[in-house]
Amino acid sequence: MLLKPFNQTLPLKFKLSVLCCCFFLKSNAQYAEDLSAYKAIYALAVNNSGKYLAIRSFKSNQKKYLLLADLQNLKTRIEPAELYQLSNVDFNNIRAMFKNSTYVKVVENILANDKAIQNSGLNTPISGKSGITLTVDLCPSHKEMDRVIVSDLLSNFKNSQLIPISFSISGKWLLKHQADFDWLKQLQDKNQLAITWINHSYNHRVNELPLSQNFMLAKDTDVQAEVLENEQLLLKNGIVSSVFFRFPGLVSNQKLVEKIMRFGLIPVGSDAWLAKGEKAKNGSIVLIHGNGNEESGVKDFIALLQNKKSDIAGRQWSLFDLTQGILSSFK
């Protein structure tokens, strides 16, 4: 979710109704100066608008706020805590209480298939339509971002109103690539990209050990810090994280998968990591790296766009929003 400025062209009635909301959203950009007590919670948040899962709380200007996840449409948002009644629940309570929600259906699907050391999480095609869901991982790197990925998308889908794309952001990448990050935000501000911002851990550490002891499975990993520090960094940069999480290297085990879900997050894998020779099918969750470290994956994606150029022009092949693809697959 990108924090957007107030639109002066809105009808007066609607404009007045969202003015307070937009004032609050604009203030989110100031959390860098006054963000404290950021912590993980797991509670049912209820008010007249419905029931939500509260997964984080924090303070700003001596006021308490909640990060809420909508279990039906998978969207996240920040609200003042005073607007909601909270009751503590656990992971299994939510699974039982909201078993017909999209969120729990996805969770159950993942729990049934979380044994693999690599690529657990949501890792199958999520739409039977002609096209793909594109996820771009931005892992720590000293190299420049592969902006050609976005440039080619803008060129090929120039007749589309919004181009859906997901970026998996690691904190250490953002800290070294502020200009690239701001460029992506600007494209979303201009309504050229519809970005899903995925938590990709803060440090994204990697070592020389086997996968069972590597990435977030390394013995000294502080999982809570990897999740929360990255969320705070994104929030300080004006971005509210989505409900999605991508494991560094797609490496996890059953215990780690369940731990991430107990933070209220949905792990997202891939069924088409292009640099590994995996082919994109209709509905595939495609993975490429845009951090300058995976030239072959970027080339393969650009080749895919070139191959589909006429279908794109004829609106016979599309990019699909991650959330919308999930909603259509887990009705």
Side-chain angles (χ1 to χ4, degrees):
M1 172 181 172
L2 183 59
L3 311 177
K4 296 184 177 181
F6 180 56
N7 186 345
Q8 298 291 338
T9 64
L10 292 171
L12 178 60
K13 183 177 180 180
F14 183 70
K15 186 184 297 184
L16 292 174
S17 70
V18 300
L19 180 58
C20 293
C21 175
C22 289
F23 175 80
F24 169 68
L25 290 180
K26 286 177 68 175
S27 72
N28 280 349
Q30 306 305 315
Y31 287 147
E33 302 172 3
D34 186 33
L35 173 63
S36 64
Y38 192 92
K39 63 182 181 180
I41 62 172
Y42 204 87
L44 187 64
V46 180
N47 69 5
N48 291 336
S49 68
K51 299 178 180 179
Y52 308 91
L53 181 61
I55 59 176
R56 308 288 181 266
S57 67
F58 64 92
K59 292 182 179 179
S60 181
N61 293 321
Q62 300 181 334
K63 189 171 183 178
K64 187 175 180 180
Y65 294 95
L66 301 171
L67 175 61
L68 303 176
D70 189 309
L71 302 179
Q72 301 300 334
N73 63 26
L74 305 183
K75 295 186 181 299
T76 56
R77 69 176 187 272
I78 291 173
E79 297 271 12
E82 63 192 29
L83 300 181
Y84 293 85
Q85 283 190 319
L86 295 181
S87 56
N88 291 329
V89 291
D90 64 26
F91 183 57
N92 291 324
N93 290 150
I94 291 296
R95 291 171 65 189
M97 294 169 61
F98 296 92
K99 62 182 180 180
N100 293 321
S101 69
T102 304
Y103 178 90
V104 172
K105 288 178 182 178
V106 176
V107 163
E108 297 296 352
N109 176 273
I110 292 172
L111 287 173
N113 300 281
D114 66 355
K115 309 299 189 297
I117 191 70
Q118 196 165 32
N119 202 24
S120 286
L122 190 64
N123 57 15
T124 58
I126 56 174
S127 172
K129 297 180 181 179
S130 185
I132 62 168
T133 294
L134 177 62
T135 61
V136 182
D137 285 10
L138 294 172
C139 318
S141 172
H142 66 276
K143 297 181 180 179
E144 294 182 359
M145 178 185 171
D146 294 299
R147 291 196 181 194
V148 66
I149 297 169
V150 175
S151 298
D152 268 37
L153 287 175
L154 294 173
S155 175
N156 281 278
F157 289 92
K158 57 188 175 184
N159 295 322
S160 300
Q161 288 186 330
L162 275 173
I163 301 172
I165 185 171
S166 298
F167 284 100
S168 305
I169 307 291
S170 61
K172 290 294 180 70
W173 178 88
L174 196 165
L175 292 173
K176 295 287 187 179
H177 298 272
Q178 188 72 51
D180 288 323
F181 184 79
D182 290 343
W183 177 65
L184 294 176
K185 289 202 302 177
Q186 289 166 10
L187 290 174
Q188 180 148 304
D189 275 340
K190 295 176 182 177
N191 290 324
Q192 292 178 278
L193 297 180
I195 300 176
T196 299
W197 304 93
I198 300 176
N199 190 335
H200 196 35
S201 81
Y202 184 81
N203 288 293
H204 196 296
R205 291 192 179 98
V206 59
N207 58 45
E208 301 299 325
L209 297 174
L211 292 182
S212 61
Q213 304 170 62
N214 209 336
F215 296 99
M216 286 184 69
L217 296 181
K219 64 179 181 179
D220 60 343
T221 299
D222 184 337
V223 175
Q224 177 167 290
E226 294 293 344
V227 172
L228 299 190
E229 287 184 19
N230 205 34
E231 289 178 355
Q232 290 178 82
L233 179 61
L234 288 169
L235 189 53
K236 289 174 181 179
N237 278 274
I239 298 295
V240 178
S241 294
S242 71
V243 75
F244 302 113
F245 186 90
R246 172 160 278 168
F247 292 112
L250 295 187
V251 173
S252 63
N253 58 19
Q254 185 176 12
K255 182 178 179 181
L256 181 57
V257 168
E258 294 182 13
K259 183 175 288 188
I260 289 296
M261 289 200 288
R262 290 176 190 274
F263 281 103
L265 304 178
I266 295 175
V268 177
S270 169
D271 64 296
W273 188 337
L274 297 189
K276 290 194 170 186
E278 298 172 358
K279 302 300 181 183
K281 304 178 289 291
N282 283 337
S284 280
I285 303 174
V286 170
L287 166 59
I288 59 175
H289 284 77
N291 63 346
N293 287 341
E294 195 180 74
E295 184 178 351
S296 62
V298 174
K299 285 184 176 179
D300 287 346
F301 179 69
I302 291 173
L304 175 64
L305 287 183
Q306 186 63 33
N307 183 52
K308 298 293 184 179
K309 194 166 187 176
S310 60
D311 290 335
I312 293 171
R315 300 181 182 271
Q316 301 299 310
W317 192 89
S318 304
L319 293 182
F320 303 117
D321 175 80
L322 176 61
T323 300
Q324 292 304 315
I326 293 173
L327 293 178
S328 66
S329 297
F330 291 87
K331 293 179 180 178

